[in-house]
Amino acid sequence: CSCMCCFFLMIRRPPRSTLFPYPTLFRSKQWYQRRVAITAGIKTNIVAENKLAKGLKLDLEVVVNPASSKKSAVVKTAYKTDCFNGTLDADLNLAGPTFVATAVSGYQGFQGGFEVGFNTEKSKMTKNTFALGYALNDLTLVGFVRDLAVFDGYVHHKVCDKTQVAVNFNWNNQSSAAAFAFGAKHQLDDVTSLSAKIDGSGKTTLGCTHKVKSWLDVTLSSQLNAKSLQGVTNGLSFEANL
């Protein structure tokens, strides 16, 4: 049995696009080990929204790392209407920018979209994803096709105000490998929730999250292999939402 204590600082930003709405229970690869990459640097954003056209947002993001003297810049554009949301991002790499475009449209509960990435320096497509989804009341179905090789399916159901469950299926056509995972979350009260997840390999994770302050969550989790009842790992994490 081992114990792990971690501290994560998370500064949340609202999503730029509604493209590919992963169900809440499966938004991260490690459901109870919340990871955030903290970059040491100075970030500057110049934003113009609804200036050139209604629904159009332009964002120039410049990041300077004083320690390594590295500089990077990304131009982000987003356009949205009542039934369409699209983005186009490009990094300002002098050797050749990489473009990432997304588009999603919805009608009466149905939603479809794509995500494409292209590296002009290598003349290579880096992303190629298509998705279809359907939402009806408390039930959400989402399907993905990545690079015409990986197929993902998600089913998310809000059983009641306090309980929600989700199932994920994955099939890799190249390796003929299949995987699945099942998760559940139950809200005990306004500040405490219980969660559980098990995948096809038997790896099981149980967690309890308590909101100490309005901006601070504490999570105690345990992970083990349900098949062998071995490999127990206990974790304690603090998440600050600023």
Side-chain angles (χ1 to χ4, degrees):
C1 178
S2 60
C3 183
M4 174 181 62
C5 182
C6 305
F7 178 78
F8 299 102
L9 176 63
M10 176 177 285
I11 301 177
R12 290 185 173 177
R13 297 173 58 187
R16 295 183 60 248
S17 173
T18 58
L19 180 65
F20 306 148
Y22 287 93
T24 304
L25 300 183
F26 292 99
R27 283 183 178 173
S28 59
K29 294 182 179 180
Q30 298 294 333
W31 193 7
Y32 303 108
Q33 295 180 2
R34 299 166 182 172
R35 300 177 180 179
V36 176
I38 302 177
T39 304
I42 300 174
K43 180 188 293 185
T44 302
N45 289 80
I46 302 176
V47 181
E49 188 170 3
N50 296 323
K51 299 297 184 181
L52 299 179
K54 183 180 180 180
L56 178 63
K57 179 180 179 180
L58 304 177
D59 183 359
L60 173 62
E61 180 178 286
V62 180
V63 179
V64 179
N65 192 324
S68 60
S69 299
K70 291 184 178 180
K71 306 177 183 66
S72 63
V74 179
V75 176
K76 303 177 181 180
T77 63
Y79 179 74
K80 61 181 179 179
T81 63
D82 293 337
C83 59
F84 175 81
N85 195 324
T87 65
L88 176 62
D89 299 347
D91 60 32
L92 301 183
N93 186 350
L94 297 179
T98 297
F99 295 92
V100 178
T102 67
V104 63
S105 182
Y107 178 73
Q108 292 186 350
F110 290 94
Q111 197 172 44
F114 69 88
E115 181 181 35
V116 178
F118 188 79
N119 188 321
T120 58
E121 180 183 2
K122 300 179 179 179
S123 297
K124 178 182 178 181
M125 184 172 290
T126 58
K127 292 182 179 181
N128 181 13
T129 304
F130 297 89
L132 289 175
Y134 179 70
L136 175 65
N137 298 329
D138 297 327
L139 180 65
T140 303
L141 307 175
V142 184
F144 299 85
V145 180
R146 296 183 177 88
D147 302 322
L148 300 179
V150 181
F151 301 86
D152 279 318
Y154 296 87
V155 180
H156 176 266
H157 178 50
K158 187 176 181 181
V159 181
C160 61
D161 292 339
K162 294 185 177 181
T163 305
Q164 51 185 320
V165 296
V167 181
N168 166 225
F169 303 93
N170 177 276
W171 167 259
N172 191 317
N173 189 41
Q174 295 179 340
S175 62
S176 297
F180 78 92
F182 172 80
K185 182 178 180 180
H186 179 70
Q187 195 76 29
L188 291 178
D189 51 42
D190 294 338
V191 295
T192 307
S193 63
L194 301 177
S195 49
K197 179 184 176 182
I198 184 170
D199 60 20
S201 65
K203 185 167 62 176
T204 304
T205 306
L206 305 175
C208 178
T209 301
H210 182 72
K211 185 177 291 294
V212 181
K213 299 289 185 180
S214 59
W215 53 271
L216 179 62
D217 292 343
V218 179
T219 300
L220 176 64
S221 61
S222 295
Q223 188 177 87
L224 76 156
N225 191 313
K227 295 181 179 179
S228 62
L229 298 180
Q230 295 178 353
V232 180
T233 301
N234 299 314
L236 178 65
S237 65
F238 301 84
E239 180 180 313
N241 302 301
L242 304 178

